[in-house]
Amino acid sequence: MDIVQMLVVILILVLLVKPLGTYIYHVFSNKQNRTDKWFNWLERIIYTFSGLKTRPSMSWKRYALSLVLLNAGFVAIGFLILLLQGYLPLNSSKIKGMEPTLAFNTIISFMTNTNLQHYSGETGLSYFSQMAVIIMMMFTSAATGICVAIAFIRGITSKGETLGNFFEDFTKSITRLLLPLALVMAIILVGLKVPQTLQPTIHATTVEGKVQNIAIGPIASLESIKHIGTNGGGHTGANSAHPFENPSPLTNVLEILMMWCIPASLTYTFGKFARNQKQGWVIFSTMLLIFLSFLSLVYFSESMGNPTLNALGLNHEEGSMEGKEVRFGIAQSSLFTTVTTSATTGSVDNMHDTLTPLGGLVPLSLMMLNVVFGGDGVGLVNMLMYAILAVFLCGLLVGRTPEFLGRKIEPKEMKLITIALLAHPLIILFPSALAFITDLGKGAISNPSFHGISQVIYEFTSSAANNGSGFEGLGDNTPFWNISTGIVMFLGRYISIIALLGVAGSLAKKQFVPETTGTFRTDNGLFIGILLGIVLIVGALTFLPVLALGPIAEYVSIR
């Protein structure tokens, strides 16, 4: 029955890919379509007030600069709100302003679509901060990622030298995609008993006569964009394991589909732009095959229970239920874990710190690869980066100039791709080593053995992949961890975005090369196999040694 549950959710996702991917294509195709009559009036108001009555196409440098500057503006405003929230309205619990290093970490986290939380939402933020900073950033960071994906797709598929206009793409991402979906799903979540209120914290008297503080707030509106935007930050410290954020198996399935649907559907959008739907299905199939492999590993590892407890003769028929909600069980917990780290959402319905060693290996590996569906927009771009790398390597093997979608791949593009590839492991491994060899980070590590290594590696991997989940045994609310992970989140987001926009801009300028009988095809089963190999080989060669020191060593030690 467990496997049937997971297969049904995966099937629903597959059925959503074509209609949602087609809709996204119409939103960003810049051609007249039926979405115009519903949203043009709102966008005209926005363009008028923002001085964007004309929206010319941008070069990749101008597109990237516009993106960074707009994000910087949001960061400055949000940082001030977090520091001053004690003086601002909608603060019935009298929560004080954030400590500066924590505010720095938080604002970088939410602007980079990471949503790493070194605080507990219900006690660390006022309602005003939750709405004006957290929910607002969840929209803008997701819209930024979608803009990058659309610009990259245009650059490698169009026959003109255009990536589009960032501000127009950004506006459409919110008005035509994120806002309507979030509004509909928030209403559905309210109907399924997720709270949505500005009433103060409930002070309830228990049967024992003690007072219990029950945190409530605008949870449904946060939950909807939290998952649709692949954000992940929770209104409560327990995130989607909390019954207010995720009260039932039905809401659990809805949250899985919400955080999975846009990253998966963008592969179909890519095929529409490329005018060859097989190209999109190749990318989707590659992602799904890797996803299913890791899902199988975490499910069967958690189903087998903890080897140490099994050796003691304890009953393990229910599997390893430590840190999991009974209302979800092994199947939905395993599926949620795999989706949230493959889609780089970071939302959790179980505590990853309590996963079995091989179970914990799965979210770590998915974030290290950072291409299996990925966050809104950036996952597709990262996988297309690997596709270009695969074409380049195959071209070298057969002695001809590599081509991808009618563009020649040359040294300039490969240098930029190399920067993006090398930055990811560097910003994970260097700060992890710094945390181990200095006294700055040691006090936060709660486990001195192999699991302690996994805790540290997970924290920086989650930050670099803009995921946000954590092995929560780590005591991470200190200046060292706040500043170091803040820097890693910033670099993990913008280095790859700028480098890959540069690739798109370079390819957009090149003359289209007609396909011949000698052209290496990228829309068949052979290329799926090649792409799988490139992703796994590059990922394994880079991260296998550190994984051997953490979850693999832990697994061997308890056998």
Side-chain angles (χ1 to χ4, degrees), residues 510-531:
K510 296 188 176 183
Q511 286 189 338
F512 185 79
V513 180
E515 186 176 303
T516 67
T517 54
T519 301
F520 181 72
R521 298 191 66 84
T522 57
D523 59 357
N524 54 25
L526 174 62
F527 190 68
I528 293 176
I530 293 171
L531 187 53

Side-chain angles (χ1 to χ4, degrees), residues 115-137:
N115 293 204
L116 185 74
Q117 292 176 280
H118 287 177
Y119 64 91
S120 185
E122 65 266 54
T123 58
L125 292 175
S126 66
Y127 291 169
F128 183 79
S129 294
Q130 291 277 19
M131 294 186 292
V133 179
I134 303 306
I135 295 178
M136 184 271 289
M137 291 288 191

Side-chain angles (χ1 to χ4, degrees), residues 136-154:
M136 184 271 289
M137 291 288 191
M138 286 180 173
F139 278 99
T140 57
S141 63
T144 298
I146 293 169
C147 289
V148 171
I150 296 302
F152 190 85
I153 291 171
R154 288 190 188 121

